[in-house]
Amino acid sequence: MQADRNLTPEQEAELKKEIEQFRSLKKIRMGSSDDISKMAYVVSKQWLKKWKHYTGTPKKRHFAYYDNETNLERKHPGPITNKEIIDETKDFYKSSDLEDIYNTILKPEMREHFEYRIINEGQWNLLFGKYGGVAVKREKFRDEYSSFMKVEVYFHRLNLIVLPDRDDFDLRKISLEKSLFCSKRWNLGRVRERITNVLTDQRYGFKFELEKFRLWKLEPSGNLQSALNQAAEALKKTPEPSNSDDVEINSGVEFPGVPLDIYGKNAVINKLELALNDRIIIELPNQKGEYVFKYRKNLEIKKCEFCYNKRPILVSCKCGDVHYCSQRCKVKDEVYHRDKCTAIDIDEELSKYQKTANSNMGLTGLQNLGNTCFMNSGLQCLSNTWQLSKYFLTDLYLPEINTENKLGMRGKMAHSFAKLIKALWYDSERSVAPWDLKKVLGKQYTTFCGFSQQDSQELISAVLDALHEDLNRVKIKPYVEQKTTDDPNDDSAKDPSWYNFLARNRSIIVDLFYGQYKSILQCPLCYKYSITFDPFSVVSLPVPQDTKTRLIVTYVPYSMKKKLIRTVMAMERDASVDELREQLVETFGVKKYGSLLSIIAGRSLERLVGRNERVGTIGKYQEKNAHLFVQEINPKYFDGAENVGVREKMEEEKKVKKAVNMYGETIESLVSREDYNNGLADDLIKFPLNICGIDRSWSIPKRDVKTFTRVLYTKKSCTLKQLHLEIFAFLRPLFEEELVHRESPYEESKEIPSKKQVEYSSMSDEALFGKVFAGMNEENWKKTVMTSKELPYVLNFVNVRDYDSYSKKKCYYCNEYDCGNCPVPFTSEITVGDMAGKLEGKKESLYSDRLYHDPKCFKLEVILNKNDDKAIISKSNFEPVEAVKMKAGTAKTELSIYDCLDSFVEWETLDKDNLWYCPFCKDSVAAKKKFEFTRAPPVLVLHLKRFKTSSRGRFMGSDRLNNLIDFPLTDLDFTRYLKGASSPVLYDLYAVSNHYGSTGFGHYTAFAWNQERKGWYQFDDSRVSSEDARKVCSTAAYVLFYKRKDIAESVDFAGIRQEIPEGYKVPVVELSKGNKPKGDNDVMNTMSSERDGMADGKVNNTTLNNKNRNN
């Protein structure tokens, strides 16, 4: 090509116009309204570079400096051959259509902006019209996850191998591997069309129709040659006919890969996880439509448990929980899945468990698998249910296993339970591990699948429920209408309701554990009733609670000459502080508002009690060993003339202020919680006072608090000198006797000290202060305090900022960093209000509960210089007005199981969270509810509801009721609770599930009567030991198991079997095909109530999901 060194002005103008047109076309964005073309074009970057140099396109400034071609000759770029980017070396299947874009492919690893550029159709037409060349067209598309248009530059490569049909199956006629290109966005249906259109072209010589071939993806590790050799040998023999509509046997040889057709025609290529090197095998049929390889028609597509690829599932574990795309993945995953596998071979032979001389006979422990003491406790109780254990030990369960019940586990639960029972009774080992049962139970009930802390009562209910479904003698459950009535005296529906229940549920569990009660609901609006008769397996009994709180109250007279008084007061939990004050008036004979209510923990002030609190809140502090102290206010302030009418005025002007806390909750403001200074004038201020000594037994002397914190009042206008006198007057009884002995140390006659005592007691506080603090005045007080060791005590401010010794701050009073509580100045120039004002607006809290912190208060302490303490300030010096017979708390202490049963059958009103929809009023109402027992089961399981929900501020929690509930070991009289009982109904206790600890943590054990050894034993996980029968009844008792006395030890299973009388016709509901429920779960919820009844252990009486209480 000749160089164009000297272009004419016309040529320059033409090239400039060409550049402007190219740039204007470049502004048309893909996907915009101006872009109507579906195609984009790929152009070699090298050709574009030549073209730009030829046309003199200005370069960007930051590139021009490094451009070495700035001064080169301007040559014509020639045609757009794109030879730099088109891959012409590969031989692949091409369409005969010259316009087919999939016939032109790019070299691998070409990069946009480096090796090629994408231009729109207008730009291409401009360049092609002048220079000509080879077009590399690509399709534009809009991605489903993006709003921008994209261009598919590279296509998906299918590496195809075509097999001959089975009638001419010669390995030499297998085609060589050759590629075919298609869009990644195509589905399998469109891919099949391209394969058919291209390969059936006369150039390639293949003959097949669109729908008459199969696509296989060969696994990377698959041995195609071996499979082909096996197939060739198998086709020489007569193939076996297929015995299933889902499988084509053909040659019987498995293809070492996955059939792509199983994904369906709409499966998109880029979602099939096809790698570039994957080989696709095309299998052709013969004229009869027969193929070579074995083919499964209804394979499921799921994620493989090992390789995590979403592929057709070829292999599944026996447990049915995990699936694999190949046998190879299954083998590799066995080491990880083994511990989680719930596969139980129900055909496993259990004959190895036989009774021998060394058999433990029920005294085998259960190993703790990790927070499973709750399970061990429940299983030991069920194991010692002799009637149930004998049923499994004698293999009576085998013919009753129901493998058709959709609600059951196809006999897995029954088999694993039988295996465990035989191990517990016939094994000679000290303990066994219940792994199989835990895995099976965890599969059906996800609550128990892990190792988190659970509840033994819930475990017992779950095991009984699972065993019932596995052993249900009813194979096909009819749809039965529930019997109801609105007459509370009508019991005609009792037997029909029971028979209707038996029409769907008959098993050994129903025979032993199920009874019936009458549920009565009354609407509070229309007063109409709704009565149903429901079955139950576990009865959850409420623990009756006393509504009163017993407070340990200590009354503290203001005068230190008087003794403290301690007593116990019982009040309603919802009683107000005002009602508490009225009770204090009756108990101690004090004025209603003449005292401060404070909570004292040990010897420190925990907090003050606000006027809007409840007695129940105060009682909570007793759990922390903090008690209520009623501290009398100085009578001279309370009865002062300046206080007349103040309280009445404050009551009239009282307004409840509202505020929003940091959690967005509306609360009463701090001001509204104050006790209005107990009605005192605003000039008064309260302050805590600590009385301490110095413990010199340490290398560094320490403060030794002598008594609890006293809360006193003074006036803000009071000077600090007057404050000294007030504190001295308060402490005066401590020093009168000491002063007498100090002035008459050698007098042995009692008359002289007596006269001195009379003399000093008649002196004023100021005069006696002058004797005790002789020589101290306003000028020398500081020196006296610092140097004199004869002073009886020193009065200090408490430095409320000196909490952290590593980051000390200035004291608010003396402005010193190392203030260890500075002395109170003995001066008339500074008032209490001045010192308290230094604390205004400060964030330091004087009390542990900031909700009741008064920032104007300050704190004082008295440091006694001598340690010869007087008994008068001893915290233990109390004068009880009555004997303290009961500990503080909120629950009754003496209860029996009959109290719990009485509470269960009493009328109760449903709360707002359990409203009942009245069919008469057409509204949800807080109905009244009552239970009556109408059928007593052979085995009565009683669950004591020891855990109750409670609200603690913003948090919801639960409390454990630690009452001792007395229950008989023999002769539990159930007669008066069973409606219509004609003879005594008595039960004997044989097992107890125990819970020790609190709601947040604890441990489960079990007590059980062993039928073989005739004695009580304790089961504590792996440990089994003999137990005294007197220890069975304890505060730990949680679930009680009773056996009816008329049930013999040699069980007559035929005698206790529950059956429907021959003459009774079950009212079966015929459902139309369109109205038929989707499954038994829907039926159980909509057509009958036995699921709820199965439970009064599941729905009706499990009011709290008792988590986090074991181990």
Side-chain angles (χ1 to χ4, degrees), residues 305-306 317-319 321-322 324 329-344 435-436 438-440 451:
E305 183 69 17
F306 182 75
C317 180
K318 288 183 178 180
C319 66
D321 293 334
V322 293
Y324 305 95
C329 283
K330 180 179 183 297
V331 172
K332 288 186 175 182
D333 191 56
E334 281 182 356
V335 66
Y336 305 104
H337 179 61
R338 186 184 300 122
D339 292 338
K340 298 181 289 184
C341 183
T342 59
I344 298 296
W435 278 113
D436 287 349
K438 185 185 184 304
K439 291 177 183 178
V440 173
F451 297 94

Side-chain angles (χ1 to χ4, degrees), residues 1012-1105:
E1012 189 74 15
R1013 305 291 175 86
K1014 305 298 182 183
W1016 284 96
Y1017 288 83
Q1018 182 183 28
F1019 297 85
D1020 186 357
D1021 288 339
S1022 301
R1023 297 182 296 275
V1024 180
S1025 59
S1026 178
E1027 191 57 82
D1028 189 345
R1030 291 173 295 180
K1031 295 183 179 180
V1032 173
C1033 182
S1034 68
T1035 57
Y1038 184 46
V1039 183
L1040 311 179
F1041 286 75
Y1042 279 93
K1043 178 183 71 70
R1044 212 169 60 208
K1045 271 188 172 295
D1046 60 337
I1047 304 299
E1049 294 181 2
S1050 54
V1051 190
D1052 179 14
F1053 291 103
I1056 64 172
R1057 174 170 292 194
Q1058 298 293 316
E1059 297 289 352
I1060 303 174
E1062 293 183 3
Y1064 180 77
K1065 184 178 181 181
V1066 178
V1068 178
V1069 177
E1070 298 294 338
L1071 296 179
S1072 61
K1073 190 174 182 180
N1075 295 329
K1076 188 175 180 180
K1078 295 180 180 179
D1080 279 334
N1081 285 329
D1082 298 325
V1083 175
M1084 301 299 277
N1085 291 332
T1086 58
M1087 299 305 301
S1088 66
S1089 67
E1090 70 261 25
R1091 264 293 189 244
D1092 296 335
M1094 238 176 175
D1096 199 44
K1098 281 196 171 179
V1099 176
N1100 294 336
N1101 52 348
T1102 303
T1103 59
L1104 172 67
N1105 190 15

Side-chain angles (χ1 to χ4, degrees), residues 407-524:
L407 296 177
M409 286 180 271
R410 308 294 192 270
K412 293 180 181 179
M413 186 65 192
H415 181 83
S416 61
F417 188 79
K419 183 178 179 181
L420 179 65
I421 292 298
K422 290 186 177 184
L424 291 175
W425 284 83
Y426 291 160
D427 209 334
S428 59
E429 297 292 331
R430 180 173 175 268
S431 63
V432 296
W435 278 113
D436 287 349
L437 188 137
K438 185 185 184 304
K439 291 177 183 178
V440 173
L441 190 67
K443 181 179 179 181
Q444 186 78 351
Y445 301 91
T446 56
T447 303
F448 306 108
C449 67
F451 297 94
S452 58
Q453 303 169 353
Q454 304 297 338
D455 179 72
S456 68
Q457 181 266 326
E458 294 175 2
L459 181 282
I460 292 166
S461 296
V463 171
L464 292 179
D465 186 23
L467 286 175
H468 162 70
E469 297 297 351
D470 262 10
L471 299 171
N472 198 346
R473 304 182 194 109
V474 180
K475 305 300 181 182
I476 301 176
K477 296 185 177 183
Y479 305 120
V480 183
E481 183 179 0
Q482 185 181 17
K483 291 286 186 179
T484 61
T485 180
D486 56 2
D487 184 0
N489 298 317
D490 183 11
D491 291 341
S492 60
K494 182 187 75 169
D495 290 338
S497 295
W498 181 251
Y499 298 150
N500 294 345
F501 169 69
L502 295 180
R504 296 174 57 85
N505 302 277
R506 293 196 298 276
S507 68
I508 184 62
I509 305 300
V510 173
D511 298 342
L512 289 175
F513 292 92
Y514 273 73
Q516 185 188 49
Y517 59 61
K518 180 180 180 180
S519 176
I520 307 172
L521 286 167
Q522 184 183 26
C523 177

